[in-house]
PDB file of all heavy atoms in Angstrom:
ATOM      1  N   ARG A   1     -15.167   2.689   5.683  1.00  0.00           N
ATOM      2  CA  ARG A   1     -14.250   3.836   5.752  1.00  0.00           C
ATOM      3  C   ARG A   1     -12.718   3.381   5.771  1.00  0.00           C
ATOM      4  O   ARG A   1     -11.929   4.146   5.235  1.00  0.00           O
ATOM      5  CB  ARG A   1     -14.493   4.659   7.013  1.00  0.00           C
ATOM      6  CG  ARG A   1     -15.813   5.343   7.056  1.00  0.00           C
ATOM      7  CD  ARG A   1     -15.931   6.234   8.295  1.00  0.00           C
ATOM      8  NE  ARG A   1     -17.198   6.876   8.281  1.00  0.00           N
ATOM      9  CZ  ARG A   1     -17.545   7.722   9.253  1.00  0.00           C
ATOM     10  NH1 ARG A   1     -16.781   7.972  10.194  1.00  0.00           N
ATOM     11  NH2 ARG A   1     -18.702   8.236   9.140  1.00  0.00           N
ATOM     12  N   VAL A   2     -12.497   2.264   6.330  1.00  0.00           N
ATOM     13  CA  VAL A   2     -11.034   1.832   6.457  1.00  0.00           C
ATOM     14  C   VAL A   2     -10.931   0.424   5.829  1.00  0.00           C
ATOM     15  O   VAL A   2     -11.734  -0.441   6.178  1.00  0.00           O
ATOM     16  CB  VAL A   2     -10.539   1.828   7.860  1.00  0.00           C
ATOM     17  CG1 VAL A   2      -9.153   1.274   7.955  1.00  0.00           C
ATOM     18  CG2 VAL A   2     -10.709   3.209   8.484  1.00  0.00           C
ATOM     19  N   VAL A   3      -9.996   0.304   4.942  1.00  0.00           N
ATOM     20  CA  VAL A   3      -9.701  -1.105   4.382  1.00  0.00           C
ATOM     21  C   VAL A   3      -8.240  -1.378   4.605  1.00  0.00           C
ATOM     22  O   VAL A   3      -7.421  -0.552   4.256  1.00  0.00           O
ATOM     23  CB  VAL A   3     -10.075  -1.117   2.863  1.00  0.00           C
ATOM     24  CG1 VAL A   3      -9.761  -2.445   2.279  1.00  0.00           C
ATOM     25  CG2 VAL A   3     -11.645  -0.801   2.700  1.00  0.00           C
ATOM     26  N   PHE A   4      -7.980  -2.506   5.144  1.00  0.00           N
ATOM     27  CA  PHE A   4      -6.603  -2.910   5.407  1.00  0.00           C
ATOM     28  C   PHE A   4      -6.109  -3.742   4.229  1.00  0.00           C
ATOM     29  O   PHE A   4      -6.803  -4.722   3.829  1.00  0.00           O
ATOM     30  CB  PHE A   4      -6.550  -3.752   6.721  1.00  0.00           C
ATOM     31  CG  PHE A   4      -5.179  -4.261   7.063  1.00  0.00           C
ATOM     32  CD1 PHE A   4      -4.151  -3.437   7.437  1.00  0.00           C
ATOM     33  CD2 PHE A   4      -4.901  -5.617   7.006  1.00  0.00           C
ATOM     34  CE1 PHE A   4      -2.974  -3.860   7.799  1.00  0.00           C
ATOM     35  CE2 PHE A   4      -3.649  -6.090   7.352  1.00  0.00           C
ATOM     36  CZ  PHE A   4      -2.703  -5.221   7.697  1.00  0.00           C
ATOM     37  N   VAL A   5      -4.986  -3.337   3.635  1.00  0.00           N
ATOM     38  CA  VAL A   5      -4.390  -4.073   2.504  1.00  0.00           C
ATOM     39  C   VAL A   5      -3.166  -4.760   3.022  1.00  0.00           C
ATOM     40  O   VAL A   5      -2.239  -4.069   3.479  1.00  0.00           O
ATOM     41  CB  VAL A   5      -4.136  -3.171   1.405  1.00  0.00           C
ATOM     42  CG1 VAL A   5      -3.448  -3.890   0.196  1.00  0.00           C
ATOM     43  CG2 VAL A   5      -5.429  -2.508   0.897  1.00  0.00           C
ATOM     44  N   ALA A   6      -3.078  -6.053   2.961  1.00  0.00           N
ATOM     45  CA  ALA A   6      -1.880  -6.780   3.410  1.00  0.00           C
ATOM     46  C   ALA A   6      -1.390  -7.774   2.387  1.00  0.00           C
ATOM     47  O   ALA A   6      -2.208  -8.189   1.584  1.00  0.00           O
ATOM     48  CB  ALA A   6      -2.248  -7.601   4.695  1.00  0.00           C
ATOM     49  N   GLY A   7      -0.181  -8.031   2.417  1.00  0.00           N
ATOM     50  CA  GLY A   7       0.350  -8.993   1.458  1.00  0.00           C
ATOM     51  C   GLY A   7       1.877  -9.082   1.582  1.00  0.00           C
ATOM     52  O   GLY A   7       2.493  -8.400   2.378  1.00  0.00           O
ATOM     53  N   ALA A   8       2.454  -9.963   0.807  1.00  0.00           N
ATOM     54  CA  ALA A   8       3.900 -10.107   0.757  1.00  0.00           C
ATOM     55  C   ALA A   8       4.577  -8.808   0.288  1.00  0.00           C
ATOM     56  O   ALA A   8       3.991  -7.918  -0.250  1.00  0.00           O
ATOM     57  CB  ALA A   8       4.311 -11.289  -0.191  1.00  0.00           C
ATOM     58  N   ARG A   9       5.812  -8.754   0.592  1.00  0.00           N
ATOM     59  CA  ARG A   9       6.625  -7.555   0.162  1.00  0.00           C
ATOM     60  C   ARG A   9       6.748  -7.547  -1.377  1.00  0.00           C
ATOM     61  O   ARG A   9       6.731  -8.555  -2.031  1.00  0.00           O
ATOM     62  CB  ARG A   9       8.085  -7.677   0.672  1.00  0.00           C
ATOM     63  CG  ARG A   9       8.161  -7.588   2.192  1.00  0.00           C
ATOM     64  CD  ARG A   9       9.586  -7.672   2.671  1.00  0.00           C
ATOM     65  NE  ARG A   9      10.270  -6.417   2.339  1.00  0.00           N
ATOM     66  CZ  ARG A   9      11.365  -6.399   1.638  1.00  0.00           C
ATOM     67  NH1 ARG A   9      11.930  -7.465   1.223  1.00  0.00           N
ATOM     68  NH2 ARG A   9      11.976  -5.248   1.411  1.00  0.00           N
ATOM     69  N   GLN A  10       6.725  -6.335  -1.953  1.00  0.00           N
ATOM     70  CA  GLN A  10       6.941  -6.061  -3.302  1.00  0.00           C
ATOM     71  C   GLN A  10       5.908  -6.563  -4.308  1.00  0.00           C
ATOM     72  O   GLN A  10       6.185  -7.004  -5.442  1.00  0.00           O
ATOM     73  CB  GLN A  10       8.398  -6.573  -3.721  1.00  0.00           C
ATOM     74  CG  GLN A  10       9.478  -6.047  -2.971  1.00  0.00           C
ATOM     75  CD  GLN A  10       9.698  -4.608  -3.262  1.00  0.00           C
ATOM     76  OE1 GLN A  10       9.824  -4.141  -4.414  1.00  0.00           O
ATOM     77  NE2 GLN A  10       9.811  -3.769  -2.312  1.00  0.00           N
ATOM     78  N   VAL A  11       4.630  -6.704  -3.856  1.00  0.00           N
ATOM     79  CA  VAL A  11       3.585  -7.188  -4.703  1.00  0.00           C
ATOM     80  C   VAL A  11       2.679  -6.098  -5.296  1.00  0.00           C
ATOM     81  O   VAL A  11       1.767  -6.389  -6.011  1.00  0.00           O
ATOM     82  CB  VAL A  11       2.740  -8.260  -4.024  1.00  0.00           C
ATOM     83  CG1 VAL A  11       3.581  -9.530  -3.645  1.00  0.00           C
ATOM     84  CG2 VAL A  11       2.030  -7.757  -2.813  1.00  0.00           C
ATOM     85  N   GLY A  12       2.909  -4.825  -4.831  1.00  0.00           N
ATOM     86  CA  GLY A  12       2.117  -3.750  -5.391  1.00  0.00           C
ATOM     87  C   GLY A  12       1.036  -3.190  -4.522  1.00  0.00           C
ATOM     88  O   GLY A  12       0.199  -2.405  -5.009  1.00  0.00           O
ATOM     89  N   LYS A  13       1.095  -3.426  -3.259  1.00  0.00           N
ATOM     90  CA  LYS A  13       0.096  -2.909  -2.253  1.00  0.00           C
ATOM     91  C   LYS A  13       0.082  -1.367  -2.256  1.00  0.00           C
ATOM     92  O   LYS A  13      -0.965  -0.767  -2.504  1.00  0.00           O
ATOM     93  CB  LYS A  13       0.337  -3.430  -0.864  1.00  0.00           C
ATOM     94  CG  LYS A  13       0.250  -4.864  -0.701  1.00  0.00           C
ATOM     95  CD  LYS A  13       0.556  -5.363   0.647  1.00  0.00           C
ATOM     96  CE  LYS A  13       1.967  -4.952   1.185  1.00  0.00           C
ATOM     97  NZ  LYS A  13       3.105  -5.666   0.476  1.00  0.00           N
ATOM     98  N   THR A  14       1.240  -0.831  -2.148  1.00  0.00           N
ATOM     99  CA  THR A  14       1.343   0.646  -2.103  1.00  0.00           C
ATOM    100  C   THR A  14       0.992   1.281  -3.385  1.00  0.00           C
ATOM    101  O   THR A  14       0.237   2.258  -3.412  1.00  0.00           O
ATOM    102  CB  THR A  14       2.776   1.036  -1.666  1.00  0.00           C
ATOM    103  OG1 THR A  14       2.996   0.554  -0.305  1.00  0.00           O
ATOM    104  CG2 THR A  14       2.887   2.557  -1.588  1.00  0.00           C
ATOM    105  N   THR A  15       1.444   0.707  -4.451  1.00  0.00           N
ATOM    106  CA  THR A  15       1.141   1.257  -5.848  1.00  0.00           C
ATOM    107  C   THR A  15      -0.353   1.187  -6.027  1.00  0.00           C
ATOM    108  O   THR A  15      -0.922   2.290  -6.458  1.00  0.00           O
ATOM    109  CB  THR A  15       1.909   0.348  -6.870  1.00  0.00           C
ATOM    110  OG1 THR A  15       3.315   0.504  -6.655  1.00  0.00           O
ATOM    111  CG2 THR A  15       1.584   0.917  -8.274  1.00  0.00           C
ATOM    112  N   LEU A  16      -1.009   0.146  -5.728  1.00  0.00           N
ATOM    113  CA  LEU A  16      -2.440  -0.007  -5.919  1.00  0.00           C
ATOM    114  C   LEU A  16      -3.174   1.034  -5.085  1.00  0.00           C
ATOM    115  O   LEU A  16      -4.113   1.723  -5.674  1.00  0.00           O
ATOM    116  CB  LEU A  16      -2.892  -1.399  -5.553  1.00  0.00           C
ATOM    117  CG  LEU A  16      -4.414  -1.604  -5.638  1.00  0.00           C
ATOM    118  CD1 LEU A  16      -4.944  -1.345  -7.039  1.00  0.00           C
ATOM    119  CD2 LEU A  16      -4.756  -3.030  -5.203  1.00  0.00           C
ATOM    120  N   THR A  17      -2.865   1.191  -3.826  1.00  0.00           N
ATOM    121  CA  THR A  17      -3.611   2.114  -2.906  1.00  0.00           C
ATOM    122  C   THR A  17      -3.345   3.539  -3.382  1.00  0.00           C
ATOM    123  O   THR A  17      -4.288   4.322  -3.355  1.00  0.00           O
ATOM    124  CB  THR A  17      -3.242   1.842  -1.484  1.00  0.00           C
ATOM    125  OG1 THR A  17      -1.887   2.035  -1.312  1.00  0.00           O
ATOM    126  CG2 THR A  17      -3.765   0.554  -0.970  1.00  0.00           C
ATOM    127  N   ARG A  18      -2.142   3.854  -3.785  1.00  0.00           N
ATOM    128  CA  ARG A  18      -1.863   5.263  -4.226  1.00  0.00           C
ATOM    129  C   ARG A  18      -2.600   5.532  -5.559  1.00  0.00           C
ATOM    130  O   ARG A  18      -3.024   6.651  -5.749  1.00  0.00           O
ATOM    131  CB  ARG A  18      -0.394   5.444  -4.367  1.00  0.00           C
ATOM    132  CG  ARG A  18       0.247   5.547  -2.971  1.00  0.00           C
ATOM    133  CD  ARG A  18       1.771   5.933  -3.015  1.00  0.00           C
ATOM    134  NE  ARG A  18       2.133   6.074  -1.633  1.00  0.00           N
ATOM    135  CZ  ARG A  18       3.416   6.170  -1.338  1.00  0.00           C
ATOM    136  NH1 ARG A  18       4.300   6.309  -2.266  1.00  0.00           N
ATOM    137  NH2 ARG A  18       3.728   6.271  -0.086  1.00  0.00           N
ATOM    138  N   GLU A  19      -2.671   4.580  -6.483  1.00  0.00           N
ATOM    139  CA  GLU A  19      -3.390   4.784  -7.761  1.00  0.00           C
ATOM    140  C   GLU A  19      -4.874   5.092  -7.420  1.00  0.00           C
ATOM    141  O   GLU A  19      -5.444   6.013  -7.994  1.00  0.00           O
ATOM    142  CB  GLU A  19      -3.290   3.532  -8.512  1.00  0.00           C
ATOM    143  CG  GLU A  19      -2.161   3.266  -9.360  1.00  0.00           C
ATOM    144  CD  GLU A  19      -2.206   1.945 -10.137  1.00  0.00           C
ATOM    145  OE1 GLU A  19      -3.324   1.297 -10.204  1.00  0.00           O
ATOM    146  OE2 GLU A  19      -1.237   1.614 -10.752  1.00  0.00           O
ATOM    147  N   ILE A  20      -5.511   4.320  -6.524  1.00  0.00           N
ATOM    148  CA  ILE A  20      -6.860   4.503  -6.212  1.00  0.00           C
ATOM    149  C   ILE A  20      -7.112   5.825  -5.504  1.00  0.00           C
ATOM    150  O   ILE A  20      -8.016   6.593  -5.783  1.00  0.00           O
ATOM    151  CB  ILE A  20      -7.408   3.372  -5.363  1.00  0.00           C
ATOM    152  CG1 ILE A  20      -7.530   2.097  -6.191  1.00  0.00           C
ATOM    153  CG2 ILE A  20      -8.789   3.618  -4.792  1.00  0.00           C
ATOM    154  CD1 ILE A  20      -7.816   0.829  -5.513  1.00  0.00           C
ATOM    155  N   ALA A  21      -6.136   6.231  -4.628  1.00  0.00           N
ATOM    156  CA  ALA A  21      -6.256   7.435  -3.867  1.00  0.00           C
ATOM    157  C   ALA A  21      -6.055   8.669  -4.871  1.00  0.00           C
ATOM    158  O   ALA A  21      -6.682   9.746  -4.598  1.00  0.00           O
ATOM    159  CB  ALA A  21      -5.182   7.557  -2.798  1.00  0.00           C
ATOM    160  N   ALA A  22      -5.394   8.505  -5.859  1.00  0.00           N
ATOM    161  CA  ALA A  22      -5.119   9.676  -6.804  1.00  0.00           C
ATOM    162  C   ALA A  22      -6.223   9.711  -7.881  1.00  0.00           C
ATOM    163  O   ALA A  22      -6.326  10.670  -8.540  1.00  0.00           O
ATOM    164  CB  ALA A  22      -3.826   9.433  -7.483  1.00  0.00           C
ATOM    165  N   GLY A  23      -7.056   8.691  -7.943  1.00  0.00           N
ATOM    166  CA  GLY A  23      -8.098   8.592  -8.975  1.00  0.00           C
ATOM    167  C   GLY A  23      -9.437   8.567  -8.466  1.00  0.00           C
ATOM    168  O   GLY A  23     -10.012   9.515  -7.928  1.00  0.00           O
ATOM    169  N   GLU A  24     -10.083   7.393  -8.588  1.00  0.00           N
ATOM    170  CA  GLU A  24     -11.502   7.263  -8.354  1.00  0.00           C
ATOM    171  C   GLU A  24     -11.983   7.263  -6.920  1.00  0.00           C
ATOM    172  O   GLU A  24     -13.193   7.354  -6.625  1.00  0.00           O
ATOM    173  CB  GLU A  24     -12.025   5.911  -9.029  1.00  0.00           C
ATOM    174  CG  GLU A  24     -11.449   4.643  -8.483  1.00  0.00           C
ATOM    175  CD  GLU A  24     -10.304   4.189  -9.331  1.00  0.00           C
ATOM    176  OE1 GLU A  24      -9.375   4.909  -9.517  1.00  0.00           O
ATOM    177  OE2 GLU A  24     -10.344   3.002  -9.684  1.00  0.00           O
ATOM    178  N   HIS A  25     -11.100   7.173  -5.932  1.00  0.00           N
ATOM    179  CA  HIS A  25     -11.538   7.242  -4.544  1.00  0.00           C
ATOM    180  C   HIS A  25     -10.513   7.953  -3.724  1.00  0.00           C
ATOM    181  O   HIS A  25      -9.677   7.379  -3.035  1.00  0.00           O
ATOM    182  CB  HIS A  25     -11.639   5.812  -4.028  1.00  0.00           C
ATOM    183  CG  HIS A  25     -12.509   5.683  -2.854  1.00  0.00           C
ATOM    184  ND1 HIS A  25     -12.293   6.332  -1.631  1.00  0.00           N
ATOM    185  CD2 HIS A  25     -13.669   5.019  -2.632  1.00  0.00           C
ATOM    186  CE1 HIS A  25     -13.149   6.030  -0.758  1.00  0.00           C
ATOM    187  NE2 HIS A  25     -14.093   5.219  -1.364  1.00  0.00           N
ATOM    188  N   PRO A  26     -10.542   9.336  -3.809  1.00  0.00           N
ATOM    189  CA  PRO A  26      -9.571  10.148  -3.057  1.00  0.00           C
ATOM    190  C   PRO A  26      -9.546   9.807  -1.534  1.00  0.00           C
ATOM    191  O   PRO A  26     -10.598   9.666  -0.927  1.00  0.00           O
ATOM    192  CB  PRO A  26     -10.043  11.589  -3.298  1.00  0.00           C
ATOM    193  CG  PRO A  26     -10.833  11.568  -4.478  1.00  0.00           C
ATOM    194  CD  PRO A  26     -11.484  10.154  -4.438  1.00  0.00           C
ATOM    195  N   MET A  27      -8.340   9.634  -0.980  1.00  0.00           N
ATOM    196  CA  MET A  27      -8.273   9.302   0.460  1.00  0.00           C
ATOM    197  C   MET A  27      -6.923   9.763   0.928  1.00  0.00           C
ATOM    198  O   MET A  27      -6.070  10.108   0.187  1.00  0.00           O
ATOM    199  CB  MET A  27      -8.478   7.834   0.606  1.00  0.00           C
ATOM    200  CG  MET A  27      -7.384   6.976  -0.032  1.00  0.00           C
ATOM    201  SD  MET A  27      -7.608   5.232   0.126  1.00  0.00           S
ATOM    202  CE  MET A  27      -8.207   4.872  -1.517  1.00  0.00           C
ATOM    203  N   THR A  28      -6.762   9.677   2.274  1.00  0.00           N
ATOM    204  CA  THR A  28      -5.460   9.881   2.890  1.00  0.00           C
ATOM    205  C   THR A  28      -4.805   8.588   3.142  1.00  0.00           C
ATOM    206  O   THR A  28      -5.439   7.711   3.652  1.00  0.00           O
ATOM    207  CB  THR A  28      -5.676  10.635   4.321  1.00  0.00           C
ATOM    208  OG1 THR A  28      -6.343  11.888   4.053  1.00  0.00           O
ATOM    209  CG2 THR A  28      -4.286  10.859   4.938  1.00  0.00           C
ATOM    210  N   ILE A  29      -3.574   8.479   2.713  1.00  0.00           N
ATOM    211  CA  ILE A  29      -2.848   7.283   2.968  1.00  0.00           C
ATOM    212  C   ILE A  29      -1.779   7.499   4.055  1.00  0.00           C
ATOM    213  O   ILE A  29      -1.029   8.430   3.885  1.00  0.00           O
ATOM    214  CB  ILE A  29      -2.144   6.765   1.646  1.00  0.00           C
ATOM    215  CG1 ILE A  29      -3.245   6.344   0.658  1.00  0.00           C
ATOM    216  CG2 ILE A  29      -1.245   5.530   1.942  1.00  0.00           C
ATOM    217  CD1 ILE A  29      -2.674   5.913  -0.690  1.00  0.00           C
ATOM    218  N   LEU A  30      -1.804   6.694   5.024  1.00  0.00           N
ATOM    219  CA  LEU A  30      -0.780   6.775   6.129  1.00  0.00           C
ATOM    220  C   LEU A  30       0.095   5.537   6.151  1.00  0.00           C
ATOM    221  O   LEU A  30      -0.487   4.460   6.005  1.00  0.00           O
ATOM    222  CB  LEU A  30      -1.407   7.056   7.450  1.00  0.00           C
ATOM    223  CG  LEU A  30      -2.312   8.238   7.620  1.00  0.00           C
ATOM    224  CD1 LEU A  30      -3.063   8.175   8.909  1.00  0.00           C
ATOM    225  CD2 LEU A  30      -1.441   9.450   7.486  1.00  0.00           C
ATOM    226  N   SER A  31       1.383   5.665   6.262  1.00  0.00           N
ATOM    227  CA  SER A  31       2.221   4.541   6.445  1.00  0.00           C
ATOM    228  C   SER A  31       2.953   4.582   7.765  1.00  0.00           C
ATOM    229  O   SER A  31       3.677   5.536   8.064  1.00  0.00           O
ATOM    230  CB  SER A  31       3.248   4.466   5.274  1.00  0.00           C
ATOM    231  OG  SER A  31       4.153   3.411   5.653  1.00  0.00           O
ATOM    232  N   LEU A  32       2.758   3.578   8.573  1.00  0.00           N
ATOM    233  CA  LEU A  32       3.442   3.542   9.885  1.00  0.00           C
ATOM    234  C   LEU A  32       4.821   2.975   9.720  1.00  0.00           C
ATOM    235  O   LEU A  32       5.510   2.870  10.646  1.00  0.00           O
ATOM    236  CB  LEU A  32       2.606   2.652  10.891  1.00  0.00           C
ATOM    237  CG  LEU A  32       1.266   3.189  11.184  1.00  0.00           C
ATOM    238  CD1 LEU A  32       0.467   2.299  12.072  1.00  0.00           C
ATOM    239  CD2 LEU A  32       1.285   4.636  11.723  1.00  0.00           C
TER     240      LEU A  32
END
């Protein structure tokens, strides 16, 4: 249900998760 995506700044973490959420795996994305 929950997958944590971590990595260096500016490598595309947010872009990747938003692409997936908008496409093949709809989900709620929260940013603390």
Side-chain angles (χ1 to χ4, degrees):
R1 291 183 182 184
V2 176
V3 175
F4 178 70
V5 178
R9 295 182 70 237
Q10 303 291 311
V11 297
K13 299 177 300 291
T14 300
T15 300
L16 175 61
T17 54
R18 288 187 179 171
E19 279 179 7
I20 291 172
E24 61 266 53
H25 201 299
M27 67 184 101
T28 300
I29 297 176
L30 300 173
S31 174
L32 297 179

